[in-house]
Amino acid sequence: MADQFVIGSVFASVVGFILIYSFFVVKSVRKVLPADAGNSNGKSLSVTTRTICINGECRSETDADVIIVGAGVAGAALAHTLGKDGRRVRVIERDLTEPDRIVGELLQPGGYLKLMELGLEDCVEEIDAQRVFGYALFKDGKNTRLSYPLEKFHADVAGRSFHNGRFIQRMREKASLLPNVQLQQGTVLSLLEDNGTIKGVMYKTKTGEVMKAYAPLTIVCDGCFSNLRGSLCNPQVDVPSCFVGLILEKCQLPYENHGHVVLADPSPILFYRISSTEIRCLVDVPGQKVPSISNGDLSKYLKTVVAPQPVASTINTLAGALYKVFCASADEARQEMREACFDYLSLGGVFSNGPVSLLSGLNPRPLSLVVHFFAVAIYGVGRLLLPFPSPKRMWMGAQLISGASGIIFPIIKAEGVRQMFFPATVPAYHRAPKTTGSNH
């Protein structure tokens, strides 16, 4: 068996939600740009770039309406959609070769629906993408299958899993085919700001030349390792664990066309197809440091801790709340919550369809998440109190509710109450505070 080790961070985000985010950003950008920007009698215009050097400083003069930093999932989707809308778009990406990463390999059905709305659904074709119809959960020798509730959708609507790099290249190709979209390889060094307003970017070309580019609107979407994020916001990043990724060749999964989730000890393991001959295995390793490959610690961890548990599964991190619920814990109330969650999902019907709709991006309502999360907690309390409650069981039930609150409310707070429940009230753009006398 040829195994390929790839190490990534738990920053891995589900592509479906990135695409949903991209879609709403596109809608917001359309509101920000003037209605006639880049559009002359309904015709698309090409991007023209001129380089002017004065006293050793080079400036890239361009008539683009938008500069996009980064040509990943969000950047490429934005470039294509704005370009198709008649905008003149310039994209600056640090590396235009095919990425080799373990993030964004499982596209949820909700993400595929957004691809269709953006006219990008053919980007999952010709890359050996695999259809995904749901999940299989494994725990302590038991297993259950959860299907996406796709009955009301077109037959083509399903999840897709694939090599992330192939998908990214297809999206870049699609965007670059538009005459008014220009893709350029370069590293953006900083944003150009004048009196609190972003005017453009300073970047280094592939040949090492430092240039400046200007446009009425600059959009930054250069990924989790962005060197610009600090100038736009102050994110509080928590890294509880890291993913170790393996590619398993010519293997079979118990439930084909499903993501497999093993509720292992101490944390989940994921399996899903990324091609017709390859299966991705993601092992979540707690802690901020991955065991060393060179001295054999990682190999030992996989053989002694991971390999002896069920032999199948999981998905791209079951989000913050589910991650904490599914991780093994010495806390009795947390163990009871874990058992209740598994049994709740095993009930089927609305009990599994609701959570799977949330996981798949088909139901974007945060209230549903809160309702199902506490339904699991109440279900767990009911298991404890029936048929005969005892003081110990009543105390554990109270701890279970308290523990559930301690999991979900900090996540809601971190995401932002307005962002989750009232997204329409959140500004769609960032403007730095004005500073007197500053001129950059």
Side-chain angles (χ1 to χ4, degrees):
M1 179 177 69
D3 294 347
Q4 175 189 354
F5 286 91
V6 185
I7 306 232
S9 81
V10 116
F11 292 122
S13 38
V14 180
V15 166
F17 294 106
I18 296 178
L19 285 172
I20 290 170
Y21 167 76
S22 303
F23 176 75
F24 288 118
V25 170
V26 168
K27 294 290 187 185
S28 301
V29 166
R30 283 178 175 166
K31 292 177 184 175
V32 172
L33 289 174
D36 59 348
N39 212 320
S40 175
N41 299 323
K43 295 180 181 178
S44 295
L45 304 175
S46 60
V47 178
T48 305
T49 304
R50 299 171 295 279
T51 302
I52 300 173
C53 293
I54 302 173
N55 296 328
E57 181 181 297
C58 291
R59 167 177 173 153
S60 174
E61 294 281 0
T62 177
D63 53 5
D65 302 308
V66 184
I67 292 174
I68 297 177
V69 181
V73 173
L78 274 167
H80 175 266
T81 307
L82 293 175
K84 198 170 62 170
D85 203 36
R87 316 295 181 182
R88 293 166 294 188
V89 183
R90 183 175 185 181
V91 185
I92 304 174
E93 161 61 39
R94 70 168 67 90
D95 186 359
L96 287 173
T97 60
E98 183 174 310
D100 181 15
R101 305 178 66 194
I102 64 172
V103 317
E105 294 178 322
L106 203 160
L107 176 70
Q108 300 291 352
Y112 183 76
L113 285 172
K114 294 305 175 187
L115 276 183
M116 293 176 69
E117 290 185 45
L118 297 172
L120 291 169
E121 67 272 20
D122 57 345
C123 290
V124 296
E125 297 172 4
E126 300 178 12
I127 59 171
D128 199 14
Q130 305 297 298
R131 293 164 73 87
V132 180
F133 298 112
Y135 300 100
L137 299 181
F138 293 77
K139 181 182 180 297
D140 299 334
K142 301 181 289 183
N143 68 81
T144 187
R145 183 167 57 172
L146 310 171
S147 298
Y148 294 138
L150 299 173
E151 297 80 9
K152 298 179 182 177
F153 296 92
H154 185 274
D156 197 41
V157 177
R160 297 290 194 282
S161 53
F162 39 65
H163 279 274
N164 171 266
R166 297 176 187 174
F167 177 58
I168 295 293
Q169 291 301 88
R170 286 281 287 157
M171 296 186 77
R172 289 173 177 173
E173 289 166 15
K174 183 102 175 182
S176 64
L177 288 175
L178 297 173
N180 49 324
V181 175
Q182 178 190 41
L183 263 70
Q184 177 182 2
Q185 184 162 309
T187 302
V188 174
L189 304 173
S190 63
L191 299 172
L192 300 176
E193 191 175 326
D194 183 17
N195 290 328
T197 302
I198 303 299
K199 297 292 188 180
V201 297
M202 179 184 290
Y203 68 99
K204 185 183 288 187
T205 66
K206 191 177 179 180
T207 57
E209 192 176 9
V210 176
M211 307 281 287
K212 293 179 180 178
Y214 296 86
L217 180 65
T218 299
I219 302 175
V220 177
C221 43
D222 55 348
C224 62
F225 299 111
S226 169
N227 63 328
L228 304 176
R229 182 175 288 129
S231 62
L232 297 173
C233 60
N234 185 26
Q236 301 298 316
V237 180
D238 179 29
V239 185
S241 60
C242 298
F243 268 143
V244 174
L246 301 86
I247 290 180
L248 312 178
E249 296 184 335
K250 298 178 182 176
C251 298
Q252 297 297 316
L253 287 171
Y255 298 100
E256 286 297 342
N257 300 108
H258 283 69
H260 288 58
V261 183
V262 176
L263 307 183
D265 185 358
S267 52
I269 307 167
L270 292 70
F271 291 83
Y272 50 87
R273 282 202 173 276
I274 55 173
S275 76
S276 53
T277 60
E278 298 165 301
I279 292 171
R280 170 71 74 197
C281 170
L282 291 182
V283 178
D284 188 78
V285 182
Q288 297 190 0
K289 190 176 179 183
V290 177
S292 170
I293 298 176
S294 57
N295 66 9
D297 282 352
L298 179 59
S299 177
K300 182 181 178 182
Y301 179 86
L302 294 174
K303 289 176 182 176
T304 59
V305 178
V306 177
Q309 305 184 61
V311 187
S313 284
T314 175
I315 106 176
N316 241 332
T317 339
L318 291 174
L322 289 180
Y323 174 84
K324 292 187 177 180
V325 170
F326 286 160
C327 281
S329 170
D331 187 328
E332 284 187 61
R334 185 68 66 84
Q335 289 177 19
E336 186 62 36
M337 184 74 173
R338 199 181 190 212
E339 292 283 345
C341 189
F342 183 86
D343 291 344
Y344 179 88
L345 293 172
S346 301
L347 293 173
V350 68
F351 304 104
S352 62
N353 284 350
V356 174
S357 291
L358 290 162
L359 289 172
S360 63
L362 295 173
N363 177 4
R365 289 173 294 184
L367 187 59
S368 297
L369 168 63
V370 177
V371 167
H372 279 286
F373 193 81
F374 279 105
V376 170
I378 292 167
Y379 176 77
V381 172
R383 286 160 33 108
L384 286 168
L385 300 183
L386 296 175
F388 302 109
S390 66
K392 181 182 178 182
R393 285 174 170 265
M394 291 173 67
W395 171 243
M396 189 177 292
Q399 286 182 305
L400 197 151
I401 295 291
S402 172
S405 303
I407 289 174
I408 195 68
F409 288 133
I411 293 172
I412 293 175
K413 183 181 177 183
E415 288 292 324
V417 175
R418 284 179 66 194
Q419 286 86 339
M420 283 191 68
F421 296 99
F422 311 103
T425 67
V426 180
Y429 60 92
H430 166 84
R431 174 164 290 182
K434 288 190 177 180
T435 53
T436 3
S438 64
N439 191 13
H440 301 290

